[in-house]
Amino acid sequence: MSGRIQPPQGAAKPSWQDLGGRWQLAGAVSEAWRFHRWHVAPEQPVGAFARASWVDALVPGSVHDALIRAGQIRDPNFGLASLQAEWVSARQWVYRRTFRVELAPSARLFLCFEGVDYSAEVYLNGDRLGTLAGTHTPARFEVSRLDRERAHLLVVVLHEPPAEAGQLGRTSQTQTLKARAGYWWDFGTRLVHVGLWRSVTLQGDAGQAVVDVFPRVLLNEDLSRAEVRLDLEQDGVPSLPVTAELVHPDGRREQVTGPASSLAFCLEPPELWWPAALGRQPLYTVRVWAEGSPPVERRFGVRRVALVHNRASRERGARPYTLEVNGQAMYIRGFNMVPSDLIPGREGVAERERTLIGYALAAHANLLRYNGVGPLASETVLDECDERGLLVWQEMPLTSSGTDNVPPQSPGFLANLERDLPALVRALRHHPSVVLLSAGNELTDEAHRPVAETHPTVARMAQLLQASDGTRPFLPTSPSGPEYDLSVPVARARPHDLHDVHGPWHYRGVRDSYLPHTVNRSLAHSEFGCQAASRLSTLQHYLTDGPVWPMNDLNPQVVHHGEWWLMAHRIEEVFGPVEDPGRYVRLTQAAQADVLRHALGWNRARRGECSLSLVWQLNEPWPNAHNTSVIDYDLKPKFSYYRCREANAPVALHLGLPAPVGDGPLTACPQVLSDTPGSGRLTLQLHTVTGMMVAHDSRPVSWPAPGQPLTLPLPASPCLLRAELRGDGGLLARTEQWVAPEAPTPFAPLVQAPATSLSVASSAHGLVVRNGGASVASWVSLEAPAGIREHFSDSGFALLPGEEREVLVSLRTPGGPPASTTLTVQALNAPPVTLSWVTA
């Protein structure tokens, strides 16, 4: 709907022709293609030189995808196969196809490209038309004299991609705005994407064309009236009338015709676009065309966004970090996002992206940060966020590098910036979901201090963003400082210097994983995480070049699929020796889940001070053995996904524990975290591994209010601390956490706990899980088979002996709900139970 060009409806011979679909593809070392004249002749003669071996390729698409389909490379997702695919980016790649002109006669004819990854030359019938460069930078070549009676050979030769650095390099030496995620990052292998990855069309016009339109919305102060001014980009002599049609959310249409500089609509009153939790998402559509040319169509929403101060940011002399939409301040919670796949041309990527948006919304996220490591959020993502009210923070594709994070200032980079940045903004600016822009990720000066708008490159980026858009707030980078990291010493000595911070990300046991979040005083915590292993079924599916176990640096596959995130040594420090891969996966996911819930709870408890809390990260673009994602590559949620959903819920409970271990009695400070005021009864219980209750407290509470300290006994072995909040409508929120005395391997008794047994039965909307044994069933999980998108109301919880819990179930495949499947339920100390599931 928001694509750049939409063909007119109903015309026998439209002025727009799609040249996408099936092309042919062949690779060449350097310019061997020129020597063999692939760009000139459709066929090669038989002779001493071998003829090219062409494979089918889809446009828009990716070279890697075409090679996988043709059997020329193994799918890089499996085993060590990506190592054997790195040669792909060391080639030039030749796309070709033939076509006939199917358009009505017109004064002008253009061959139009929406972008290429990353640069190319274009040939038509052997003649060089020019060059392409930039992932979103369009190009138009006039081909008005094409013979309509013959077929034409169109050839696009992709150059080798630019030689950018992976995660560890020098940002100051970056030359382009090509996303660097595929050059190797901690969440993905080295797989440098290349492809004719955006649309190719043939367009005719009568001498003038509208090539882009930006519906610039100007809202009055009380939001009762909006003017929609149409900023047009045109090509040709502007002598023909320009017509604009506005389609209202209810389907009403209005139309104006006149000079391009005066096209506008008045909405009185406008239908306001709101984030999902605050209201509806009505969308308008504008179509603009010059007589005899194809229309440009854009969908937009009417809303106002700003960053405003809260009391803490004003007192500290910091930037404003509180996001305000239509005058309503929001507490921002959500996730950082990485590409949904390292090969964006794969079949099913759009469905993956829509699934991830659904998972984010179900976890009560209201914003996703697309950080500068990856490419822009795709059109599929942005359309879905527009329709469903999920906000987007988009950074430009410029990022940290480890050795230095200093924004580049070379003439080559600045020339590419001038060419490509406006096109990137044009892909974003009409989307109401996009509420915040940044120059890049983790950009710093030479002293590792986050950059400000005073840096020359960032200043120029801000100017270009303002010129092309100017309707959204801008941050120079994230973290925006003055401190870069969430540091415990700084939090204790200089808390006023914690504005927007990143980290920590690694699991470091039962004290150091928790302490930074407990003492955090940041105004915005835009990136923090903790790692865990992927689901065992995911590991078994992708680690095909050897055994899954051991999950440490002695296993080449485990290292290859996530060398930065190994954690077996930490798990053994907390839980003792673990020899079973399934049990190991469960414990890593339990650790990640507990840390992330802890961080989210402490941030949200500081809501008057902290305005934003974003987990790193929701997804991963490649199957990792260990990673900081809360959903693995097979779109299987880890336990942490459910704990993030719990902590971000409209009503949540925060236990206020500094850590899950203590020396002596345990002091909790339970607090209700809610978007709206309320009252109810809070109950806390402490149970041993046999289910015996050793402490109980029940009290009336109202909120918002700070938590009240509560001292509980801490027995010699691990105990389950539970809290439930009930109101007039029943259960409002619950949470639970295993706690233990501080000691070496404090939670080893859970791994050694007596076995128990689970039973499962169907219910009206899901299933009922019951613990039939004499021990607490720890970390009860529910799993659907591969290919099934699973939505459970909870997973990774505990059941006391004799206790049962109903879990709501929703299952989908790309084609809809499965007619039947199986569900597996198990726990750390309970064997799997399988249930047949039939969709009603």
Side-chain angles (χ1 to χ4, degrees), residues 784-799:
I788 305 291
R789 308 290 186 252
E790 57 191 48
H791 287 267
F792 302 122
S793 57
D794 202 0
S795 188
F797 54 87
L799 283 177

Side-chain angles (χ1 to χ4, degrees), residues 586 589-590 593 637-644 779-781 795-796:
R586 188 172 298 271
Q589 292 199 7
K638 301 176 183 176
F639 293 166
S640 55
Y641 170 80
Y642 295 96
R643 301 290 73 80
C644 289
W779 296 298
V780 177
S781 66
S795 188

Side-chain angles (χ1 to χ4, degrees), residues 57 171 249 408 491 546 607 628 646 681 701 809 820:
T171 302
R607 181 170 178 167
T628 46
E646 172 194 311
R681 176 162 289 276
V701 291
V809 177
S820 63

Side-chain angles (χ1 to χ4, degrees), residues 143-361:
V143 292
S144 299
R145 296 183 179 181
L146 276 186
D147 186 348
R148 294 171 177 270
E149 302 302 319
R150 57 164 286 200
H152 303 281
L153 177 65
L154 175 59
V155 175
V156 179
V157 182
L158 269 64
H159 303 146
E160 297 93 341
E164 300 291 10
Q167 187 161 7
L168 300 178
R170 296 182 184 274
T171 302
S172 60
Q173 296 178 4
T174 300
Q175 290 297 307
T176 69
L177 287 175
K178 176 175 169 59
R180 286 168 46 204
Y183 287 86
W184 184 84
W185 221 263
D186 60 73
F187 52 72
T189 190
R190 182 175 175 86
L191 203 67
V192 182
H193 178 252
V194 286
L196 191 51
W197 80 308
R198 291 175 69 82
S199 66
V200 182
T201 57
L202 198 63
Q203 298 173 25
D205 63 51
Q208 174 188 353
V210 176
V211 295
D212 195 23
V213 59
F214 175 36
R216 185 181 296 274
V217 178
L218 304 174
L219 267 168
N220 69 350
E221 195 62 31
D222 65 2
L223 310 179
S224 64
R225 184 180 184 277
E227 183 182 7
V228 183
R229 297 178 185 172
L230 303 183
D231 294 352
L232 269 57
E233 181 183 341
Q234 294 180 272
D235 178 72
V237 180
S239 58
L240 299 174
V242 177
T243 300
E245 180 182 59
L246 180 68
V247 182
H248 291 252
D250 62 4
R252 288 182 298 114
R253 296 172 182 264
E254 55 181 302
Q255 201 174 94
V256 295
T257 300
S261 60
S262 65
L263 295 179
F265 295 94
C266 181
L267 305 176
E268 195 170 9
E271 294 191 56
L272 296 179
W273 186 95
W274 290 94
L278 300 181
R280 297 173 53 251
Q281 296 79 47
L283 294 168
Y284 294 82
T285 301
V286 65
R287 303 173 80 235
V288 184
W289 66 94
E291 185 178 330
S293 69
V296 176
E297 184 171 298
R298 289 287 181 263
R299 193 171 61 168
F300 67 96
V302 177
R303 52 97 182 107
R304 179 191 294 144
V305 294
L307 288 177
V308 299
H309 282 288
N310 63 13
R311 186 175 67 181
S313 65
R314 183 176 291 107
E315 289 175 349
R316 295 187 198 179
R319 301 173 183 275
Y321 289 106
T322 301
L323 185 69
E324 189 180 77
V325 180
N326 297 333
Q328 186 158 336
M330 299 179 64
Y331 177 72
I332 293 300
R333 49 194 167 218
F335 301 94
N336 286 269
M337 302 294 289
V338 297
S340 61
D341 203 293
L342 289 181
I343 304 177
R346 281 185 191 269
E347 183 180 2
V349 165
E351 176 62 28
R352 288 178 63 83
E353 292 173 333
R354 284 188 284 267
T355 298
L356 288 168
I357 298 302
Y359 274 128
L361 285 165

Side-chain angles (χ1 to χ4, degrees), residues 625-822:
H626 299 88
N627 192 242
T628 46
S629 66
V630 304
I631 297 177
D632 71 26
Y633 180 79
D634 266 359
L635 299 179
K636 296 300 186 182
K638 301 176 183 176
F639 293 166
S640 55
Y641 170 80
Y642 295 96
R643 301 290 73 80
C644 289
R645 187 166 75 184
E646 172 194 311
N648 285 332
V651 180
L653 286 174
H654 171 53
L655 290 171
L657 292 172
V661 294
D663 184 12
L666 189 70
T667 299
C669 193
Q671 183 178 351
V672 179
L673 308 176
S674 178
D675 297 340
T676 56
S679 61
R681 176 162 289 276
L682 177 63
T683 301
L684 282 87
Q685 296 179 346
L686 194 65
H687 297 268
T688 67
V689 292
T690 62
M692 182 177 68
M693 186 187 302
V694 293
H696 177 273
D697 183 86
S698 182
R699 62 181 70 177
V701 291
S702 25
W703 58 89
Q708 298 299 314
L710 174 66
T711 300
L712 298 167
L714 191 57
S717 293
C719 289
L720 181 68
L721 175 60
R722 277 190 165 174
E724 288 191 346
L725 178 67
R726 293 186 177 273
D728 293 338
L731 182 68
L732 299 178
R734 63 156 59 102
T735 192
E736 62 186 22
Q737 184 169 24
W738 285 100
V739 294
E742 189 159 14
T745 62
F747 291 102
L750 294 181
V751 179
Q752 303 155 6
T756 188
S757 60
L758 301 175
S759 60
V760 187
S762 297
S763 67
H765 301 288
L767 50 84
V768 175
V769 186
R770 186 176 187 277
N771 179 7
S775 298
V776 177
S778 51
W779 296 298
V780 177
S781 66
L782 294 85
E783 299 182 8
I788 305 291
R789 308 290 186 252
E790 57 191 48
H791 287 267
F792 302 122
S793 57
D794 202 0
S795 188
F797 54 87
L799 283 177
L800 301 174
E803 186 180 27
E804 64 182 30
R805 181 180 298 185
E806 182 180 30
V807 179
L808 307 183
V809 177
S810 175
L811 306 177
R812 294 195 65 82
T813 69
S820 63
T821 186
T822 57

